[in-house]
């Protein structure tokens, strides 16, 4: 093998995924706004029309106001995502492997995420949102300030991290967006990591 191994991205698939994620978040936000509005209208009607119905109307209003911060967050994420996409091109590759590190092209980030091999547990082949994806699994305790790690502090890279102490992932890519089969990726991973990382199903 060469000194580096590059797994490219199919740009049409990346653009299709961007549009699908944006559309699903937008639809979810609109549905939530509709439900909150409907609940508030019913609650206000109960308060005003049923004078004695305040004990039903007031809790209903409070209950439908509680999800409001979540809806605001959805629209904030949509705005952040649009800014990330507008300020950066589609990454030139999904993964680049060298003897020293694994580099990730994170959609929306201005530069690659660099992970030295000791920080990489491997790739996980799984299904997310109904489609097969490959996620990069990190060793426990890896953070943006770990030795040799760079680029993980960018908000777009942070957005791909799942905040869980049980599952750590530094990026995920739809299998359809990769320009090489997973078998070739697995072989390259094992070669460059000295068999410490591979594709797990």
């Amino acid at each position: 093998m060469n000194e580096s191994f590059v797994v490219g991205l199919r740009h049409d698939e990346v653009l299709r995924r961007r549009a699908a994620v944006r559309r699903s978040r937008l639809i979810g936000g609109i549905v939530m706004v509709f439900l909150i509005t409907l609940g508030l209208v019913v609650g206000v009607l109960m308060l005003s029309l049923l004078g004695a119905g305040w004990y039903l109307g007031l809790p209903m209003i409070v209950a439908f106001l509680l999800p409001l911060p979540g809806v605001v967050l959805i629209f904030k994420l949509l705005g952040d995502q649009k800014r990330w996409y507008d300020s950066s091109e589609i990454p030139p590759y999904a993964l680049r492997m060298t003897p020293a590190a694994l580099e990730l092209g994170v959609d929306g980030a201005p530069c690659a995420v660099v992970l030295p091999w000791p920080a990489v547990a491997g790739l996980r082949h799984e299904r997310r949102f109904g489609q097969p994806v490959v996620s990069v699994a990190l060793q426990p305790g890896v953070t943006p300030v770990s030795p040799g790690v760079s680029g993980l502090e960018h908000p777009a890279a942070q957005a791909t991290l799942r905040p869980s102490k049980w599952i750590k992932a530094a990026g995920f890519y739809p299998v359809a967006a990769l320009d090489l089969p997973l078998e070739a990726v697995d072989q390259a991973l094992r070669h460059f990591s000295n068999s410490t990382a591979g594709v797990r199903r």
Side-chain angles (χ1 to χ4, degrees):
M1 289 189 185
N2 295 330
E3 276 303 295
S4 68
F5 184 87
V6 176
V7 181
L9 284 169
R10 294 190 172 112
H11 284 216
D12 57 333
E13 280 294 325
V14 174
L15 292 173
R16 190 185 66 73
R17 180 175 166 260
R18 281 182 176 187
V21 169
R22 182 167 177 76
R23 186 171 50 249
S24 65
R25 283 185 176 166
L26 187 61
I27 289 170
I30 290 170
V31 167
M32 287 298 294
V33 167
F34 173 77
L35 292 175
I36 288 171
T37 304
L38 184 65
L40 291 175
V41 167
V42 170
V44 168
L45 285 175
M46 289 179 82
L47 278 176
S48 61
L49 297 180
L50 307 171
W54 66 269
Y55 56 89
L56 292 175
L58 194 59
M60 181 176 272
I61 290 172
V62 171
F64 277 93
L65 283 176
L66 289 176
L68 199 56
V71 174
V72 171
L73 182 62
I74 289 172
F75 287 107
K76 181 188 177 311
L77 285 173
L78 277 171
D80 290 347
Q81 194 176 50
K82 183 174 182 345
R83 279 191 296 281
W84 296 337
Y85 291 161
D86 289 346
S87 65
S88 62
E89 299 289 324
I90 292 175
Y93 53 80
L95 307 165
R96 181 173 177 265
M97 300 170 215
T98 67
L102 173 65
E103 297 176 16
L104 311 176
V106 177
D107 199 13
C111 60
V113 172
V114 178
L115 300 167
W117 288 113
V120 179
L123 297 184
R124 196 177 294 115
H125 185 206
E126 56 193 350
R127 293 189 76 80
R128 231 188 265 182
F129 310 117
Q131 65 174 332
V133 298
V134 176
S135 63
V136 180
L138 303 177
Q139 293 289 358
V142 173
T143 67
V145 295
S146 294
V149 174
S150 68
L152 204 53
E153 70 282 350
H154 190 273
Q158 287 290 312
T160 66
L161 284 166
R162 290 180 285 179
S164 164
K165 63 179 180 178
W166 295 286
I167 305 171
K168 296 287 184 189
F172 67 93
Y173 309 92
V175 172
L178 304 179
D179 69 353
L180 290 172
L182 285 183
E183 293 75 20
V185 176
D186 182 49
Q187 186 180 358
L189 261 178
R190 292 181 190 283
H191 171 78
F192 282 103
S193 69
N194 291 322
S195 299
T196 61
V199 178
R200 291 176 288 170
R201 295 174 189 270

